[in-house]
């Protein structure tokens, strides 16, 4: 497989998923209804892919143990936090904050991935990205559709931190277990968490889902979940960490473009300046990050 194919697929899936999530929340569907339905559609579409391609099925206990962690930390927690954030943030703001995920991953990888150690040379890039984030938050105060700016920002940043930990673990586990074998365990564990546990705790109001919202939620499940997360795990198995980081550069840009076109959101010069600072800072930080990690597939699997 061309190593760029899953990267492009994951980028499009996450960007489209952000826009569709915001769109369905604007229609009044409760977050605690969106997330379980999203995962049900995702698991159904993954089952169809497994039947059609005969890939991603596994009974490997090592993969299922790692899937328990990834399904919780790399998928479930970021999904809940970011969906809640989009209740208060337009995609043009929340989507750009997602660009901070590589910085979060750098920090997490220092502790979780052998060979990826934090270096002082990354600090200027990190500080530049944080200044850009401050500009985005300042611009968000006057953005249309922002009801509770700080609640949305805090939830999105928390989701970014969780996604960083999940990204570092994905890098680590993809070197220990074939990446195809991580897809089904991760999806299955997350489905149990969000489609069973969340409705029991927060309730489930399917009556608020109109026909158009059903299609949007299905899109979030198929594109923003199955395509995005599945493609990323495949990409993690055939790409070095430095190339995986390109996803985080492209997702915010594509998310904003889709939000402007389909949701009618607008951009201010301050938001554009903040986005540029974030992207430049992330590129600088990653450029000076030590990434002496074995190529995917050559590391010895651990029990």
């Amino acid at each position: 497989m061309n190593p760029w194919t899953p990267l492009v697929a994951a980028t499009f899936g996450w960007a489209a998923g952000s826009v569709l999530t915001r769109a369905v929340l604007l229609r009044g569907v409760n977050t605690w209804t969106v997330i379980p339905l999203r995962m049900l559609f995702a698991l159904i579409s993954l089952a169809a892919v497994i039947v059609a391609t005969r890939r991603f099925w596994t009974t490997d206990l090592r993969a299922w143990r790692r899937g328990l962690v990834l399904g919780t930390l790399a998928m479930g927690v970021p999904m809940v936090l970011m969906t809640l954030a989009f209740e208060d943030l337009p995609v043009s703001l929340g989507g750009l904050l997602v660009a901070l995920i590589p910085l979060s991953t750098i920090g997490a990888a220092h502790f979780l991935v052998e060979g990826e150690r934090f270096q002082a040379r990354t600090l200027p890039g990190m500080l530049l990205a944080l200044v850009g984030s401050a500009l985005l938050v300042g611009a968000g105060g006057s953005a249309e559709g922002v009801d509770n700016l700080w609640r949305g920002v805090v939830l999105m940043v928390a989701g970014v931190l969780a996604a960083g930990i999940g990204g570092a673990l994905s890098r680590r586990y993809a070197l220990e277990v074939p990446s195809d074998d991580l897809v089904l365990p991760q999806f299955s564990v997350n489905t149990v968490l969000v489609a069973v546990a969340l409705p029991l705790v927060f309730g489930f109001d399917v009556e608020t889902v109109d026909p158009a919202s059903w299609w949007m939620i299905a899109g979030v499940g198929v594109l923003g979940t199955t395509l995005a997360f599945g493609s990323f795990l495949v990409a993690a198995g055939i790409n070095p960490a430095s190339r995986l980081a390109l996803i985080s550069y492209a997702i915010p840009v594509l998310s904003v473009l889709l939000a402007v076109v389909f949701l009618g959101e607008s951009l201010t010069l301050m938001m554009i300046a903040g986005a540029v600072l974030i992207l430049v800072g992330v590129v600088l930080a990653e450029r000076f990050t030590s990434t002496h990690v074995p190529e995917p597939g050559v590391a010895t699997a651990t029990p």
Side-chain angles (χ1 to χ4, degrees):
M1 176 187 292
N2 187 317
W4 288 99
T5 300
L7 288 173
V8 173
T11 299
F12 173 76
W14 267 312
S18 297
V19 174
L20 288 169
T21 297
R22 175 66 175 167
V24 76
L25 291 174
L26 287 174
R27 297 181 69 86
V29 182
N30 187 284
T31 296
W32 306 115
T33 301
V34 172
I35 297 175
L37 289 177
R38 166 186 182 171
M39 279 312 302
L40 289 176
F41 279 114
L43 196 61
I44 291 171
S45 60
L46 177 61
V49 170
I50 291 174
V51 172
T53 65
R54 299 184 183 277
R55 292 182 62 182
F56 308 121
W57 175 263
T58 183
T59 57
D60 188 342
L61 291 180
R62 298 174 306 159
W64 280 93
R65 286 197 295 268
R66 288 158 178 77
L68 178 63
V69 178
L70 291 180
T72 304
L73 296 180
M75 198 172 186
V77 175
M79 179 184 296
V80 171
L81 292 172
M82 291 182 179
T83 303
L84 287 170
F86 278 123
E87 288 184 349
D88 300 299
L89 296 179
V91 176
S92 54
L93 175 57
L96 290 172
L97 289 174
V98 171
L100 294 171
I101 288 177
L103 301 188
S104 175
T105 304
I106 289 173
H110 172 79
F111 300 100
L112 298 173
V113 183
E114 182 180 354
E116 295 200 18
R117 296 293 179 259
F118 176 82
Q119 297 185 14
R121 293 181 298 174
T122 64
L123 283 176
M126 288 185 169
L127 292 175
L128 195 62
L130 291 176
V131 171
S133 301
L135 286 179
L136 280 182
V137 174
S142 59
E144 295 180 1
V146 177
D147 299 320
N148 191 336
L149 174 66
W150 285 107
R151 176 182 181 273
V153 168
V154 169
L155 287 169
M156 183 60 71
V157 171
V160 165
L161 293 175
I165 295 172
L169 288 172
S170 295
R171 293 181 185 182
R172 175 177 174 174
Y173 292 160
L175 296 171
E176 300 172 348
V177 177
S179 56
D180 280 13
D181 289 352
L182 293 171
V183 176
L184 179 61
Q186 176 172 324
F187 273 63
S188 300
V189 168
N190 189 54
T191 300
V192 171
L193 289 175
V194 304
V196 177
L198 286 185
L200 289 176
V201 176
F202 297 101
F204 186 76
D205 188 9
V206 74
E207 295 181 359
T208 62
V209 186
D210 59 22
S213 296
W214 277 107
W215 283 105
M216 292 178 187
I217 295 173
V220 178
V222 176
L223 300 178
T225 311
T226 301
L227 180 66
F229 284 92
S231 296
F232 180 77
L233 281 174
V234 172
I238 59 177
N239 286 282
S242 57
R243 190 180 295 159
L244 286 176
L246 295 175
I247 290 179
S248 295
Y249 308 154
I251 290 173
V253 177
L254 184 56
S255 296
V256 171
L257 290 177
L258 292 176
V260 170
V261 172
F262 293 104
L263 297 180
E265 295 185 4
S266 58
L267 291 175
T268 65
L269 288 177
M270 187 179 292
M271 293 178 70
I272 294 173
V276 170
L277 288 177
I278 287 176
L279 293 177
V280 171
V282 169
V283 171
L284 288 176
E286 289 234 336
R287 181 180 180 183
F288 294 117
T289 300
S290 175
T291 54
H292 303 297
V293 185
E295 286 296 313
V298 302
T300 302
T302 57

